[in-house]
Amino acid sequence: MKLKKWLHALLLVGMGLMIPCYAFTVLNVTLSPWPLYERSRRVLVLLTAACTVLLWLALRAADRHEAFFARHERQVLLGAAGCYFIVQMVMAHVLRFVPVTDAEQCFTAAQLIVDTGTFGNVERSWMYFTRYPFNLGFVYALAGIFRFFGMLGWADRFMQAALVCSVLFTLGLLSGARVCRDMGGVKAQTRMLVLCASCLPFLYCSTELYTDAFSLAFPTMTLYCFCRLRRSTRLRSRVLWALAFALVAFAGAQIKFTAVIAAIACMIVLVFERRGRAALCAGVMLFTVFLGGNALVDGYTAQHLSEEDIYNNELPRLHHIAMGLPVREEEGYGQYGDGGWLIFSTSFEDPEERREALLEEIIDRVYYLRYPNRLLNMMSRKNLSTFGDGTFRLNEILQANNHVPDNAVKQAVFATGRLYPAYYHLCTALFMAQMAIAMLSCAQAILRRDTSGAPLFIALLGMFLLLCIWETRARYFFQFELVLLCAGALLETKRLR
């Protein structure tokens, strides 16, 4: 009994660590003096306060109509999902673009697989994917999409990808809603839909057609499988949901590896809640699926790229960590800056020499950051880079081939549009307000000693910590935006009076 109490207390502490992380983020984004994003701090502070109050009032209004939403639960849920799907497909037509840079490399390689059988004989693709093989899972997913719809006679590959991305978003939305239903009832599910309406990039995110949008659904789908697994009482049901849990986590990790953070958070909760059978099933399934799945993917990759070429050219994890330790203000606030890191890392032909040089650079930078004021300076700049744009900079890819905002939507979404400054400040204020709501939700759960939402809060903590040590861009957190909204949806407004 004492062990159970200690584990419960430790789980509450783990949940609570999310609060200072996101409190620092809200304060840093709204108050720090760094010029990144050309934001008005005064406007952002006022808008954030106003949006937080408005979101809380909206959640409270939804709570007052619990009976209505309970009676029409299915219609409301499917209606919301259907509306998002339709709007996203319309936005795909309005924002249609020609992919460039990383997105273009993935699209080109996928089309080469379908059209010629391989991409490994094209120099550009060979060079890119031997350096960045972690994007190959996304390439294979795109190739599967193009091949499937090609057999049906549909040749528009851009819209094929947009359709599948919109379907995935719908699955992620429905999964997130059901997670909230499991953890907080119909009211929490309704609150989650209300909070989704406060994330304006959801309206067009499926047009981005890159790993950020394609992986958005997998954390909430993983959490949904976890909820079903946690409630399973029969062995057959437990095994099936553990298998689904592992398969979804593996699929998400193949598109963007950070999706696995949700699965790790779930495993932590299962262990600390002493759900031994469920934890054992989930652990065995995760090990089996990831081991077997990676072997299959590596075997397929070997048909296009040699293992030796990948070993010699792949940029190691140390490369991305080094990029995430900017010690000077001109180093891109934790982003690529002038591209110096790519030049540095690719200047070594020997992979071991490359790793040693990067490790030495990391050690030097960590040593330089040993003083609290230097570390805080760096973390403040990097935190702003990661969380300081509520549009998630999806426009980086959307406008990559054409910066001219030639319609009303682009005037708001594109950085060159006349409405973009207002749109940026509104989206960022709403993003900060969503964090504030999630923090209130976490604090409320701790006061009630309720760990039902622990997977959400721990997953958010894990993503925050990863982005503190990794190279970063504003769109990297987008994958966990649905998780943030689910966490906020657990807030019971009546208890705040």
Side-chain angles (χ1 to χ4, degrees), residues 119-120 125-126 129-130 136 301-307 309-310:
F119 61 88
S125 295
W126 177 89
F129 288 105
T130 54
L136 285 172
T301 298
Q303 299 178 26
H304 307 285
L305 303 171
S306 75
E307 185 177 349
D309 288 338
I310 293 176

Side-chain angles (χ1 to χ4, degrees), residues 12 70 109 115 151 177 205 214 261 263 295 304 311 349-350 399 413 440:
L12 289 171
D115 296 337
M151 291 189 297
C205 64
F214 263 87
I261 290 174
H304 307 285
Y311 174 77
E349 294 186 4
D350 183 355
Q399 68 180 56
V413 173
L440 286 172

Side-chain angles (χ1 to χ4, degrees), residues 240-260:
L240 289 176
W241 281 112
L243 177 60
F245 172 78
L247 289 172
V248 170
F250 174 76
Q254 288 301 305
I255 295 176
K256 196 176 183 74
F257 188 75
T258 45
V260 80

Side-chain angles (χ1 to χ4, degrees), residues 409-463:
V409 175
K410 292 180 181 179
Q411 289 290 352
V413 173
F414 280 19
T416 52
R418 65 177 181 274
L419 299 177
Y420 181 77
Y423 178 69
Y424 161 80
H425 282 87
L426 177 60
C427 286
T428 305
L430 286 168
F431 188 30
M432 297 301 103
Q434 293 158 8
M435 291 186 190
I437 295 294
M439 287 187 285
L440 286 172
S441 176
C442 185
Q444 185 182 75
I446 292 171
L447 289 173
R448 295 162 53 194
R449 302 185 64 80
D450 179 9
T451 60
S452 60
L456 299 171
F457 302 120
I458 294 175
L460 290 173
L461 172 64
M463 190 59 175

Side-chain angles (χ1 to χ4, degrees), residues 278-438:
L280 179 62
C281 284
V284 169
M285 288 299 180
L286 280 174
F287 178 80
T288 304
V289 169
F290 271 78
L291 187 66
N294 283 325
L296 290 174
V297 172
D298 289 344
Y300 186 66
T301 298
Q303 299 178 26
H304 307 285
L305 303 171
S306 75
E307 185 177 349
E308 182 181 0
D309 288 338
I310 293 176
Y311 174 77
N312 289 330
N313 295 315
E314 181 179 7
L315 297 179
R317 304 294 180 262
L318 295 174
H319 166 81
H320 304 282
I321 294 173
M323 289 174 64
L325 292 171
V327 297
R328 299 191 306 273
E329 293 179 16
E330 71 270 25
E331 286 185 309
Y333 297 90
Q335 298 183 18
Y336 289 97
D338 59 2
W341 277 116
L342 182 60
I343 296 171
F344 177 80
S345 296
T346 55
S347 64
F348 301 93
E349 294 186 4
D350 183 355
E352 290 303 321
E353 185 181 355
R354 181 189 301 125
R355 290 186 181 90
E356 290 175 5
L358 285 167
L359 181 59
E360 183 178 350
E361 186 70 26
I362 290 171
I363 292 171
D364 289 343
R365 291 189 166 226
V366 170
Y367 183 74
Y368 173 83
L369 295 168
R370 68 191 183 279
Y371 297 109
N373 62 322
R374 293 179 183 175
L375 180 62
L376 182 61
N377 181 293
M378 186 277 286
M379 287 303 300
S380 176
R381 289 183 286 115
K382 187 175 181 181
N383 179 270
L384 178 61
S385 171
T386 309
F387 298 99
D389 192 336
T391 71
F392 302 100
R393 292 263 152 161
L394 300 183
N395 60 291
E396 284 182 328
I397 291 177
L398 295 175
Q399 68 180 56
N401 75 303
N402 182 8
H403 291 262
V404 179
D406 53 13
N407 60 50
V409 175
K410 292 180 181 179
Q411 289 290 352
V413 173
F414 280 19
T416 52
R418 65 177 181 274
L419 299 177
Y420 181 77
Y423 178 69
Y424 161 80
H425 282 87
L426 177 60
C427 286
T428 305
L430 286 168
F431 188 30
M432 297 301 103
Q434 293 158 8
M435 291 186 190
I437 295 294

Side-chain angles (χ1 to χ4, degrees), residues 463-497:
M463 190 59 175
F464 178 90
L465 294 177
L466 178 68
L467 292 175
C468 285
I469 63 174
W470 205 253
E471 61 101 357
T472 186
R473 301 186 79 83
R475 54 188 168 82
Y476 285 3
F477 181 79
F478 184 68
Q479 181 186 34
F480 275 75
E481 174 66 4
L482 277 173
V483 178
L484 177 68
L485 301 182
C486 287
L490 300 185
L491 176 68
E492 294 189 16
T493 58
K494 292 181 180 179
R495 293 179 180 267
L496 293 178
R497 291 183 298 180

